[in-house]
Structure formats: structure tokens, C-alpha cells
Amino acid sequence: MQLYKDQNLRVHNSLTGKKEDFQPINEGHVGMYVCGPTVYSNVHLGNCRTFMSFDMIFRYFKHLGFKVRYVRNITDAGHLENDADDGEDKIAKKAKLEQIEPMEVVQRYTVDFHNTLQQFNLLPPSIEPTATGHIIEQIEIIKEILEKGYAYEANGSVYFDVIKFNKDHEYGKLSGRKLEDMIANTRELTAQDEKRNPQDFALWKKAEPQHIMRWPSPWGDGFPGWHLECTAMSTKYLGETFDIHGGGMDLKFPHHECEIAQAEASTGHSPVKYWLHANMLTLNGKKMSKSTGNNIYPSEIISGNNDILSKAYSPAVVRFFMMQAHYTSILDLSDEALQASEKGYNRLMDAMGSLDTLKTGSKSEFEIAVWKQKCYDAMNDDFNTPILIAHLFDAVKHINLIKEGKENITQEDKTELENTLQAFVYDVLGIESQSMAKDDSNALKGVMELLIQLRNEARANKDFATSDKIRDELTALGIQLKDGKDGTTFSIN
Ligand SMILES: [Zn+2]
């Protein structure tokens, strides 16, 4: 299947600020790199949104028949507290706080990251490389940049010379900043500073004696700067120039700007054809922030265990909610918005679930081919999922009319409608139906039967403390037991 030959995909390129025809470097192939998490804490919901957006993009490329190599890294070293090159290493700081090895921090939060993304039905990337696994590649790039004269060594550290680079290239072209303005707006360097000017950034940092995560290098023991790992890993797995580089909007500057500078300084050409940036998630109209308490974790949405929520929401509903906004727009999360999404999700799933029983006839009023192309047109317009979803609800409307006997559909059209809906909802948007989670509900049934049996045994033994405890704890979880003449049944609120 090579659907992409019939579809004209356009993507918004942050580098040019325009929507452009997507023309891959190698026909039929897409190379995509997305900046992954720094694994020193539980993944934020805002980050989940970014990764979900690129998961949808990955899925659509695959759906169109492209061979996609999707690389998303794990930052397990080198990310300092401040985006400037000072402060502690985020992972080392957490390790000290929890009195464990830095690699234990990395393992703990990598597992959390994978589990959370799996709950939201994200596909694993093709390659998930780590910064610590690519120290040699990073050192090689530093050597090249030094050789080309765009970096300098100072006291065991190596810094990128932004002023020198800007003379031959353009520093700031992705974020639309001018180096002169940046210089005017920053503090003067002090005598202790190793940098030649404040805009310079670290390629390699000397490790102080107490720094645990350290590697030998031509400049002494140290660790790589944060921006360098993405240049090293994207070049290694996707080549010196590749199709798509994605990430959150907040990474545009300095991170992505520095990636461009490093690549251009070492290879002489631009590393990325299309830069895609996903926008942020706000909570009740305000920026999410742990310090102000305006914050929610993915696990809290799924459990309903947060004061801003009236109930728990399934991961599929959360994913549907996220897909209802365009990936470049700010999305505001609130209890009301999630409730509305849940209603929409249920309507969509009900309609899809009723397709099997839909009666067919000799004619169709609903023009499937026209509708289907509208769905593609929406996705071809820079992955416009909210417009796609509006078209999906147009199909829902027709399905309901057919159900009520007010419209007709042929068997052939019904099959086409079903296949198209399933492709867009399950494969492209990655939204699962509740029946796909059937295994879970079977397990729940088994557990409930066991609990009811234990409660009956307790009652038979006149152990009312235990039988009451089982009933009360279940009630607290929102599960009601009902004793009837045919035995005990349960219902979930
Ligand atoms: Zn990156």
C-alpha cells in the first residue's frame, strides 16, 4: 500500500514559518527524530501531549505507506538544572536527594515513562537511544567542531563559539532571534567565567571530583553538554540531513537552535528539512507548574485522584481529548473539557460498535468516497486532527440516521465506511475502544467473583467484620454489591 502517492501532505515547518509540501529525502522513507524526556522525574502530562502528537504523526506516515524510522532519545546525562550551562546535573541531583545511584534514577523514571506512554497507546519508536550510550559519538563531533574552529577549550571544558559561528552561518534562524539582540539582553561575563561570551554553550563539561557521571575524553574527565546528544544520535541513525525533527515548542530555543549550530559547524550543512513543534497543555487556563500546585500527573487523571477532577477518565478518553486540538495549538485541560470529550468518545464508539448490526440496502445516501477524501484532506493539512474528528462525527450522524431507518447504505459502502473509520480512529489517532480493553474487564470480573465468594464464606462463618470490610472498601472504590435471591451481583459507578 502506497497511499502517499495519492495524497498531498503538507506540514508546517517552524524553520520557514510556512506550510510546505512534504517531500521526503528518500522516496517512500521518512526519518524522524523527536527529543525525548530527561528521566529524573515522572513524566508530565504536557510532555505526554507532545509525545502523543508525534505518535499520531508517526502513525499517519505509516498509514500512508511510508517506511518510517522514528528515533526518540532518552536523556540520561548532561541536562543541567539551568538551560545555560550551570547548576547541577538534574539526574545527579535527584540521585543525591533519594540517596541512590544516578542510574537507578534513570531506570525508575524510564520505566515510568514507558508505562505511561503505553497506557495512552503510544507506539514505541523504532530506536530509543540514550545519551550515555553515545559518549564516543559525541566526543567525535566535538573534535570535528574544534577542528573547524567553531569551539574552544577552557579549563577541561569545551564551548561552542556562537559569535564565530554566526559570522559564517546564521545563529537564531529557527527561533527568529538575532544574536545582537541576545547579546544586548544578557549580563556581562564575570572574570570566573570560562566562556568567551554568554551565548556560547557547553559541548563538554569538566567533571568536578564529586560528579559521579563522568567519562574520559581528550580534554579530561567530564560529561557532554545537553544539546550535543541529539546531534550525535540523530546523525548516527538518520544521517547528516534527515526529514523531520520534532519536539515541544519550549525546545526551540536554545536546544534546537544549538542542534542546528552543532550540525552545521561539523558537517557544513543544515541537519533537518522540516522542523515540527508541538504546543503546550495548560490546566484550567493557566500554565502547569508544580510549585503553584496547578499541576496534574497522568496517573491522577486515570485514577481521578486530583481535586480538580470530578471523576476518573480512561486513557482512551484522555487521548481523544488531546486529539481534538491541533498539535500546534495550546490545549487547555479542565474537568468540563474532559467530560465533553468523554461524551464525544462514547458517541463515536457507540456508532462504531453498531456498524455490525446496521441493515444494508440497494442504495446509499451517504457518499463514502467524498467523505473519506475529506478525512485525508484534514490529515494532509498539517495533521489537522480536530477537522478529521469533525468528519468522523459526520459519519456518526449518518450511522445513526441509518439505524433509525431514515437513510440507507449498501453493503459495499458499509464495509468501506467501517474500514475507513477503523483506520482513522484506531490506527491513525491511536484511540482504543473499550472493548479492546476487554481483557481488563474479564480480569476485574474474576477478581470480583473471588471477593464475593470470600465475603460469602466470611458471612457463613459469622465473621461480619471481614464481610463488612470487603463491602465497605468496595463501596469506597465505587463498586456496589447487591445481594439478591440469585446471589450477589456488583455494579461500578
Ligand atoms: Zn533534543
Side-chain angles (χ1 to χ4, degrees):
M1 275 226 299
Q2 294 180 330
L3 277 169
Y4 63 83
K5 289 192 169 156
D6 311 320
Q7 304 296 337
N8 178 28
L9 175 61
R10 289 168 68 75
V11 300
H12 181 267
N13 189 352
S14 307
L15 190 62
T16 58
K18 290 189 187 107
K19 263 186 219 171
E20 297 172 9
D21 285 342
F22 178 74
Q23 301 277 8
I25 295 162
N26 300 307
E27 210 221 289
H29 293 258
V30 176
M32 176 162 91
Y33 186 92
V34 171
C35 295
T38 301
V39 281
Y40 73 105
S41 64
N42 296 103
V43 62
H44 289 196
L45 197 62
N47 287 344
C48 286
R49 183 190 177 204
T50 298
F51 298 125
M52 224 181 269
S53 296
F54 288 103
D55 179 65
M56 171 274 293
I57 289 170
F58 176 39
R59 285 165 173 273
Y60 189 55
F61 277 126
K62 279 163 59 109
H63 173 78
L64 289 180
F66 286 107
K67 277 197 152 174
V68 194
R69 183 178 293 168
Y70 173 24
V71 182
R72 189 185 65 210
N73 69 304
I74 295 274
T75 297
D76 58 353
H79 197 169
L80 303 184
E81 278 179 284
N82 304 316
D83 278 348
D85 305 304
D86 47 55
E88 272 186 277
D89 180 298
K90 290 185 180 190
I91 288 161
K93 187 182 175 189
K94 187 78 168 198
K96 220 186 282 169
L97 206 70
E98 302 196 1
Q99 295 193 312
I100 53 177
E101 275 287 320
M103 275 298 145
E104 287 183 89
V105 173
V106 165
Q107 179 67 16
R108 178 180 297 171
Y109 295 111
T110 302
V111 168
D112 168 74
F113 175 68
H114 286 151
N115 286 346
T116 304
L117 262 48
Q118 202 178 14
Q119 277 185 307
F120 290 117
N121 198 30
L122 274 78
L123 300 173
S126 327
I127 305 176
E128 194 169 45
T130 61
T132 56
H134 297 76
I135 301 292
I136 293 167
E137 288 83 350
Q138 297 184 71
I139 291 174
E140 286 307 309
I141 294 177
I142 300 173
K143 283 191 204 161
E144 277 168 37
I145 300 174
L146 277 167
E147 233 165 74
K148 304 265 165 74
Y150 293 114
Y152 54 91
E153 191 192 340
N155 186 31
S157 294
V158 182
Y159 294 97
F160 190 93
D161 189 338
V162 171
I163 305 262
K164 173 91 188 291
F165 174 79
N166 194 54
K167 284 193 180 121
D168 309 325
H169 300 261
E170 194 190 341
Y171 183 74
K173 61 182 169 189
L174 178 67
S175 55
R177 298 177 191 220
K178 287 257 168 288
L179 186 57
E180 304 83 73
D181 300 341
M182 289 184 229
I183 292 169
N185 291 325
T186 39
R187 62 177 177 87
E188 299 273 308
L189 288 173
T190 62
Q192 297 89 347
D193 274 310
E194 296 165 346
K195 293 183 188 179
R196 289 181 188 163
N197 100 81
Q199 275 64 47
D200 294 352
F201 57 90
L203 297 171
W204 188 261
K205 285 286 275 186
K206 177 186 177 170
E208 297 305 327
Q210 71 274 14
H211 200 97
I212 301 172
M213 301 172 90
R214 59 200 299 138
W215 291 268
S217 82
W219 316 284
D221 275 10
F223 55 93
W226 171 41
H227 313 304
L228 189 59
E229 59 173 278
C230 289
T231 300
M233 294 186 269
S234 60
T235 309
K236 175 160 181 165
Y237 298 111
L238 299 172
E240 289 182 359
T241 304
F242 54 95
D243 298 302
I244 289 181
H245 193 313
M249 215 71 109
D250 54 330
L251 292 182
K252 236 190 218 179
F253 189 88
H255 185 56
H256 291 161
E257 206 69 77
C258 294
E259 277 189 47
I260 294 178
Q262 290 165 161
E264 289 188 357
S266 61
T267 70
H269 47 254
S270 187
V272 175
K273 206 168 169 191
Y274 307 98
W275 281 91
L276 268 53
H277 287 99
N279 215 326
M280 62 172 180
L281 184 70
T282 56
L283 182 60
N284 287 327
K286 281 183 281 201
K287 207 176 165 198
M288 279 206 221
S289 149
K290 254 188 268 181
S291 55
T292 62
N294 193 47
N295 188 43
I296 188 164
Y297 280 102
S299 60
E300 293 172 336
I301 292 205
I302 297 165
S303 66
N305 194 11
N306 186 305
D307 289 346
I308 68 148
L309 299 179
S310 61
K311 63 187 287 294
Y313 296 93
S314 75
V317 167
V318 177
R319 182 159 180 137
F320 181 71
F321 162 74
M322 301 268 194
M323 292 295 137
Q324 282 179 299
H326 190 250
Y327 76 97
T328 61
S329 312
I330 293 176
L331 172 62
D332 188 48
L333 184 133
S334 65
D335 193 51
E336 299 81 68
L338 284 168
Q339 280 188 25
S341 287
E342 190 176 56
K343 278 192 193 129
Y345 168 83
N346 288 337
R347 265 204 317 136
L348 180 61
M349 290 302 143
D350 285 350
M352 287 177 75
S354 68
L355 275 166
D356 269 353
T357 56
L358 220 54
K359 287 201 185 77
T360 55
S362 56
K363 56 173 184 154
S364 291
E365 275 98 3
F366 183 29
E367 288 183 87
I368 303 292
V370 175
W371 167 78
K372 184 174 168 182
Q373 188 53 46
K374 278 188 197 163
C375 293
Y376 278 105
D377 290 345
M379 286 304 287
N380 292 341
D381 184 17
D382 194 29
F383 315 100
N384 201 326
T385 54
I387 301 289
L388 168 67
I389 290 172
H391 294 311
L392 298 179
F393 277 106
D394 195 31
V396 169
K397 192 184 78 190
H398 284 283
I399 291 169
N400 290 336
L401 286 170
I402 298 163
K403 254 199 288 193
E404 291 162 20
K406 292 176 183 158
E407 251 188 43
N408 305 288
I409 192 163
T410 64
Q411 180 58 48
E412 197 188 337
D413 278 354
K414 188 178 110 169
T415 306
E416 180 76 347
L417 175 62
E418 187 164 17
N419 291 342
T420 309
L421 275 173
Q422 286 178 351
F424 279 110
V425 175
Y426 301 150
D427 302 346
V428 175
L429 295 176
I431 292 163
E432 289 182 301
S433 78
Q434 300 291 13
S435 63
M436 283 175 172
K438 209 162 34 193
D439 290 342
D440 275 349
S441 64
N442 278 340
L444 175 69
K445 240 194 215 161
V447 170
M448 282 309 300
E449 274 162 21
L450 177 67
L451 282 171
I452 289 168
Q453 195 189 326
L454 289 173
R455 178 169 166 262
N456 288 342
E457 281 170 17
R459 279 160 62 171
N461 295 332
K462 301 210 182 320
D463 177 6
F464 297 113
T466 302
S467 65
D468 286 352
K469 188 172 181 209
I470 292 174
R471 190 199 54 215
D472 295 346
E473 301 262 320
L474 286 173
T475 307
L477 291 170
I479 301 172
Q480 310 294 339
L481 292 182
K482 210 174 151 200
D483 297 313
K485 57 179 188 306
D486 299 325
T488 307
T489 55
F490 74 95
S491 62
I492 303 173
N493 286 348

